Amino acid sequence: MAGYYDDLFRLCGFEDEEIEKERPRIEKTFQKLEITPQDMKPAEKWVRDNHEVELVGVRKVLGVWMRELIDLIMAKEEGKKIAYFGFPSIGGLGMAIATASDNVYCGCPDVVLCHTVGQIFNKLNPLLEAGEQNGLPPGHGLCTLQAIRTGALAKGVIPVPDMVMMSSYYCDMGSKNDELLRERYGHPAVVIDGSMDSRWGEFPGYLPERVEFLGAGLDKLLSQTGEIMGVDVTREVWDKSIAVSGQLFAAIGELSQLMRADPMPISVAELEIARFLVTGSTGKAVSHGPEAIATLSQEVKKRVDEGLGVVEKGAPRIMVFLSPFSDASIAHMIEEAGLAVPVMLMTAPLRMEPWQTTYNTRGTVKAEVEMKVGIYHSTYALAQRWAEVVEDFNLDGSIWGYQFNCRPLAQPSHLLPKLVEERTGKPTLSLEMDYYDSRSYSAASLRTRVETFAEMLRARKVSAKV
């Protein structure tokens, strides 16, 4: 029997047989989300306006997110143990926990909700407002990503977890909000602590104590997961999860390479929904992600071979840190201004010298990798990595879209552009924005500054040819 949501699910890559099979779960999910038949046509228009659904791969990637949403909301009712982690997260931990047992749901609910309730239904406001009414009031510089999780729990949209991984190694706001939710709902929390303090200019060096401190927290997580969740993240499970995540990253790497073409073949909004499957989802990203991204890569390669693109050939090429999680219209606004965005820092291959680790636990080995990558090292390391990508991609400039209510991103709001321009000679626009909530930072509100920056970059390209 046809449902009012069938056309939307087809738009998200579902076959009729799967829709029919999933009807009970879909309808329970929509009931919790308060999604009605009246929401379907606006959702279909929102998806068509913001995603290249003529590409089968885009529809498949959207479908992975939709399946993950259903799994998240139904996890408790279906008898699964539930573990949540926050964003940003040290890669591989959630994947390892999810790999350890079929009876576990492990994911980042806030990221899943952004990419579905936001990017597919355009209905995040009720969750944001519920978060603001339940501990995270507006006007206090509090993280809107945390407000989404807080609101979803308060409204009973997502289940109360059995365990939370509190990530204090990067985002102080995330761990503080986790403490609030732990007190409110009573679930256990494992704190993974760290420090972003370092001397300016220290990177790529780092104090051994930083590896040991962060590594001890990661080892503690692996140990306490067994005690709390009843699953054993053995060395075999750990190695298997690394292999699985490697498949996903390989598929994303192939897609990222194709984005280097001129003209840029697809919007950065499509690269974003593919890349952050790894971050938000440890379930359907594993079972459906590689095939979805491979399909998209094949279609993108065809566009590259035919010389097709979404911006004019020769357009100024820039980098961004992230593309907005919940509102892809902001990415399209940047492209409509005449800027190609072939790379996000989070998709760029980084310069990594080979080394032989001297550490012997899974936690300390992982912590050492994170220090060498640099994102969790310091503001200075982040700026150096940014400058390297500008050089390696031969970009014309970049946009440092800093999350105004995120201290690790707001702190380098002026330091990073200054360092990058001094090192590369390429300008960086420091753009205050919000990756998760576009109520105050919409595409329209950001357009004037982006268009002015784009005009400057075009003028520089003309001058360089003279």
Side-chain angles (χ1 to χ4, degrees):
M1 184 173 68
Y4 64 88
Y5 44 76
D6 287 20
D7 287 345
L8 178 66
F9 274 82
R10 292 186 189 108
L11 199 59
C12 293
F14 280 68
E15 299 292 340
D16 287 348
E17 295 80 5
E18 185 179 5
I19 297 172
E20 197 62 42
K21 178 183 176 183
E22 292 292 304
R23 285 200 195 283
R25 302 178 79 229
I26 292 170
E27 288 167 9
K28 287 180 181 178
T29 297
F30 280 12
Q31 184 178 10
K32 285 185 176 292
L33 286 168
E34 299 175 349
I35 289 174
T36 69
Q38 287 70 40
D39 294 314
M40 287 304 103
K41 289 303 178 187
E44 290 173 34
K45 184 178 187 305
W46 180 250
V47 171
R48 290 184 186 278
D49 286 348
N50 287 298
H51 290 288
E52 297 166 65
V53 291
E54 67 274 16
L55 298 174
V56 174
V58 168
R59 298 202 297 272
K60 284 179 176 289
V61 173
L62 289 170
V64 179
W65 282 112
M66 194 75 101
R67 292 178 183 91
E68 188 70 19
L69 173 69
I70 296 168
D71 284 356
L72 163 64
I73 290 177
M74 296 299 297
K76 184 74 75 175
E77 185 175 329
E78 293 175 347
K80 291 183 181 286
K81 288 270 193 174
I82 300 170
Y84 291 157
F85 55 86
F87 176 82
S89 59
I90 290 179
L93 299 176
M95 195 77 75
I97 293 170
T99 303
S101 172
D102 292 336
N103 295 319
V104 168
Y105 176 86
C106 182
C108 183
D110 358 342
V111 171
V112 174
L113 292 167
C114 278
H115 287 87
T116 51
V117 180
Q119 287 220 32
I120 294 175
F121 295 102
N122 193 23
K123 286 197 66 174
L124 268 180
N125 286 1
L127 299 184
L128 287 161
E129 290 163 3
E132 291 167 350
Q133 294 161 8
N134 284 273
L136 302 180
H140 289 68
L142 302 175
C143 178
T144 47
L145 191 64
Q146 300 299 324
I148 291 167
R149 183 189 298 196
T150 301
L153 282 166
K155 289 174 68 68
V157 170
I158 61 174
V160 174
D162 297 286
M163 182 184 84
V164 166
M165 293 164 260
M166 293 171 55
S167 52
S168 297
Y169 49 83
Y170 181 80
C171 173
D172 61 324
M173 177 69 211
S175 56
K176 289 173 181 174
N177 192 59
D178 282 337
E179 287 180 357
L180 167 69
L181 298 177
R182 178 181 61 183
E183 291 300 314
R184 180 169 292 169
Y185 299 106
H187 53 261
V190 180
V191 181
I192 309 167
D193 212 346
S195 170
M196 290 277 280
D197 292 337
S198 68
R199 297 180 183 89
W200 189 260
E202 183 179 45
F203 183 79
Y206 48 85
L207 293 173
E209 290 84 353
R210 292 194 63 189
V211 173
E212 292 157 7
F213 185 47
L214 177 57
L218 300 177
D219 285 326
K220 177 183 69 175
L221 168 68
L222 294 173
S223 171
Q224 292 192 1
T225 296
E227 299 170 14
I228 297 170
M229 301 285 288
V231 296
D232 188 7
V233 184
T234 63
R235 174 69 67 173
E236 182 182 4
V237 166
W238 180 263
D239 292 343
K240 180 181 177 183
S241 71
I242 290 174
V244 167
S245 59
Q247 291 177 348
L248 272 167
F249 276 115
I252 293 163
E254 181 181 356
L255 182 60
S256 299
Q257 281 296 111
L258 291 167
M259 291 290 286
R260 289 175 178 257
D262 187 13
M264 187 177 72
I266 56 171
S267 170
V268 70
E270 317 308 356
L271 179 62
E272 190 276 331
I273 60 171
R275 164 61 181 86
F276 286 97
L277 278 177
V278 183
T279 299
S281 163
T282 60
K284 289 299 188 284
V286 172
S287 58
H288 290 70
E291 191 270 335
I293 299 170
T295 299
L296 180 56
S297 292
Q298 291 169 9
E299 293 175 301
V300 172
K301 185 177 186 306
K302 185 172 185 293
R303 281 192 176 187
V304 171
D305 292 343
E306 295 173 355
L308 301 176
V310 296
V311 292
E312 183 180 4
K313 184 177 175 65
R317 299 169 71 77
I318 67 163
M319 173 174 65
V320 296
F321 181 60
L322 300 172
S323 187
F325 278 20
S326 61
D327 187 349
S329 69
I330 295 171
H332 294 301
M333 176 274 293
I334 295 172
E335 292 158 356
E336 288 162 6
L339 296 175
V341 190
V343 61
M344 301 180 287
L345 183 66
M346 303 295 278
T347 62
L350 301 177
R351 302 177 190 176
M352 297 290 288
E353 295 293 330
W355 80 95
Q356 185 67 44
T357 187
T358 59
Y359 294 98
N360 56 19
T361 73
R362 286 174 287 175
T364 51
V365 169
K366 189 67 177 173
E368 183 183 33
V369 171
E370 296 303 335
M371 288 301 103
K372 289 183 176 294
V373 168
I375 307 303
Y376 302 131
H377 182 289
S378 60
T379 292
Y380 177 81
L382 173 66
Q384 289 295 336
R385 286 303 196 188
W386 191 279
E388 288 175 5
V389 176
V390 169
E391 292 171 343
D392 293 348
F393 276 70
N394 192 27
L395 299 173
D396 298 295
S398 56
I399 294 179
W400 174 244
Y402 67 92
Q403 181 82 9
F404 83 103
N405 51 13
C406 173
R407 279 159 288 286
L409 293 186
Q411 181 176 323
S413 60
H414 294 81
L415 288 170
L416 184 145
K418 183 175 185 293
L419 185 148
V420 171
E421 187 158 2
E422 287 174 351
R423 173 170 167 173
T424 68
K426 304 295 177 64
T428 295
L429 170 64
S430 187
L431 186 66
E432 182 179 293
M433 61 184 300
D434 192 322
Y435 288 105
Y436 321 116
D437 175 10
S438 56
R439 290 176 298 178
S440 298
Y441 295 86
S442 64
S445 69
L446 301 172
R447 184 181 297 276
T448 299
R449 294 197 66 200
V450 172
E451 288 178 341
T452 303
F453 185 64
E455 190 60 38
M456 182 191 74
L457 291 185
R458 283 192 288 270
R460 285 171 62 97
K461 283 179 72 74
V462 170
S463 298
K465 293 178 182 178
V466 175

